[in-house]
Amino acid sequence: MDKQQLLECHERIKPFIHNTPVLTSRQIDEMAGAQLFFKCENFQRMGAFKMRGAANAIMQLTEGQKQNGVVTHSSGNFAQALSLAAQSLGVKAHIVMPKNAPQVKKDAVRGYGGRIVECEPTLQARERESEVIQKKFGATFIHPSNDDAVILGQGTACKELLELHPDLEYVITPVGGGGLIAGTALAAAYFGNGCKTIGGEPFEGDDAYRSLLSGTIEGNITTNTIADGLKTQLGDRNFPIIQKHVEQIVRVTEEEIVSAMRLIWERMKIICEPSSAVALAAVLREKEIFKDRKIGVIISGGNVDLAHLPFQKPV
């Protein structure tokens, strides 16, 4: 995936995405001892960066593939992103979701025109149902993070950030399935001026941290984290990019995630989900690395279950 492909991707998807705002907070800068520039993908269509990759992936299909529709398995933001992108492009979207997915997320998918197929809450069940739909309808499977077109789409958020602030020294993203950090790392390499990419990841879901150490894709030993969007693991398309272009991954505690999330809500007056707060938590945990630097922080999304906020109860 080269620079020209990322440029073409951005031009392709511009009519279907928002160029989200970049916000700052003097108080958070003082706490971090650095200058932070928050790329607010919580203001993206459907509330998260994943709209970018979903739109690009669908737009790269042939007309025949578009007529047969697309399918993915997701319990969260990509389910909503693929549904909305497909609706925007006149394509049918089949979404395999676990039975125990929050009703608010199922409602959002249906609101965006997605056709939900429920399954047992296991990866094997998700994959099995996806294969049934592919055979029955001829639908094209689009992976939420391990897909070249998706990775390129996710990288456009960092590209927009660097267009406003080309002198950033670091850009920080959360790490889940690896699509966002891989795309971000490509954008930083192609459009930055020596800009380094660093990931933030929960201790309670640190597969990417361990994968970089071992040189092979690791699974999660535990997923007991409030950052529900980061429970997935890396794939064979994004892992080589991460190995080549990501400087390091900083692990953070559950308490640090909640504290960072609360900071963003209180100081910046915007909503972010726990997974998004992991990036700020990483900056605050490793202040010595980032001291006096100019740093981009990707706020990945703002789809929060307001009935279960973490602020009122201990982690």
Side-chain angles (χ1 to χ4, degrees):
M1 288 177 272
D2 58 28
K3 184 176 183 178
Q4 186 59 32
Q5 286 176 296
L6 190 48
L7 284 165
E8 290 171 358
C9 165
H10 198 200
E11 288 305 310
R12 186 183 304 122
I13 66 175
K14 276 181 180 178
F16 301 98
I17 62 167
H18 297 321
N19 186 331
T20 52
V22 177
L23 302 182
T24 59
S25 166
R26 182 179 54 80
Q27 291 172 313
I28 295 178
D29 282 358
E30 288 176 0
M31 294 178 68
Q35 277 187 284
L36 307 186
F37 299 87
F38 294 89
K39 178 64 170 169
C40 296
E41 287 294 286
N42 50 330
F43 292 121
Q44 188 52 261
R45 292 185 69 198
M46 57 65 53
F49 72 94
K50 293 193 174 186
M51 182 66 187
R52 297 172 180 270
N56 190 48
I58 294 174
M59 294 180 82
Q60 292 292 80
L61 300 178
T62 66
E63 287 307 311
Q65 288 174 316
K66 290 176 183 176
Q67 287 176 11
N68 290 335
V70 293
V71 58
T72 196
H73 53 74
S74 167
S75 59
N77 284 338
F78 197 74
Q80 297 173 57
L82 195 70
S83 299
L84 179 56
Q87 184 184 64
S88 301
L89 292 159
V91 174
K92 190 175 187 72
H94 305 271
I95 311 295
V96 178
M97 298 185 78
K99 291 177 179 177
N100 61 355
Q103 189 61 42
V104 64
K105 293 187 176 180
K106 293 177 184 176
D107 292 344
V109 168
R110 290 194 178 99
Y112 293 137
R115 172 186 172 267
I116 295 176
V117 177
E118 294 192 359
C119 68
E120 294 302 317
T122 66
L123 180 59
Q124 292 81 1
R126 289 183 182 202
E127 291 176 342
R128 187 168 58 247
E129 288 297 335
S130 297
E131 287 170 7
V132 168
I133 292 167
Q134 289 174 71
K135 289 174 183 174
K136 183 176 180 180
F137 298 100
T140 299
F141 179 75
I142 298 178
H143 194 281
S145 55
N146 196 43
D147 178 288
D148 288 2
V150 170
I151 292 166
L152 283 170
Q154 316 309 30
T156 60
C158 180
K159 178 178 177 289
E160 290 173 359
L161 177 59
L162 287 165
E163 285 168 353
L164 283 178
H165 299 283
D167 55 345
L168 293 179
E169 295 166 85
Y170 291 95
V171 62
I172 321 293
T173 82
V175 189
L180 176 61
I181 194 168
T184 297
L186 288 175
Y190 296 148
F191 302 103
N193 183 17
C195 181
K196 297 174 181 176
T197 302
I198 289 181
E201 191 173 43
F203 276 99
E204 294 287 340
D206 66 348
D207 58 301
Y209 174 85
R210 288 182 290 104
S211 296
L212 277 187
L213 289 180
S214 70
T216 187
I217 297 172
E218 304 279 351
N220 276 310
I221 297 169
T222 169
T223 56
N224 185 29
T225 176
I226 191 175
D228 60 314
L230 308 185
K231 294 181 179 182
T232 48
Q233 68 182 53
L234 307 179
D236 62 349
R237 301 306 303 166
N238 57 53
F239 183 47
I241 299 168
I242 293 166
Q243 285 182 296
K244 182 177 181 181
H245 293 293
V246 173
E247 184 86 357
Q248 71 178 97
I249 292 174
V250 175
R251 295 178 295 173
V252 295
T253 67
E254 296 301 291
E255 291 81 4
E256 287 168 334
I257 296 169
V258 173
S259 176
M261 181 179 171
R262 183 167 189 152
L263 262 180
I264 291 168
W265 283 56
E266 285 184 344
R267 306 298 169 128
M268 299 182 68
K269 317 303 181 192
I270 59 173
I271 291 175
C272 79
E273 58 198 69
S275 300
S276 298
V278 169
L280 175 59
V283 174
L284 295 174
R285 181 182 178 91
E286 297 290 347
K287 291 182 183 179
E288 285 307 307
I289 296 175
F290 304 112
K291 185 175 172 58
D292 298 326
R293 306 287 191 181
K294 293 188 73 171
I295 304 161
V297 179
I298 308 286
I299 296 184
S300 54
N303 292 323
V304 182
D305 183 352
L306 295 176
H308 296 95
L309 290 176
F311 310 136
Q312 287 82 25
K313 58 185 179 182
V315 176

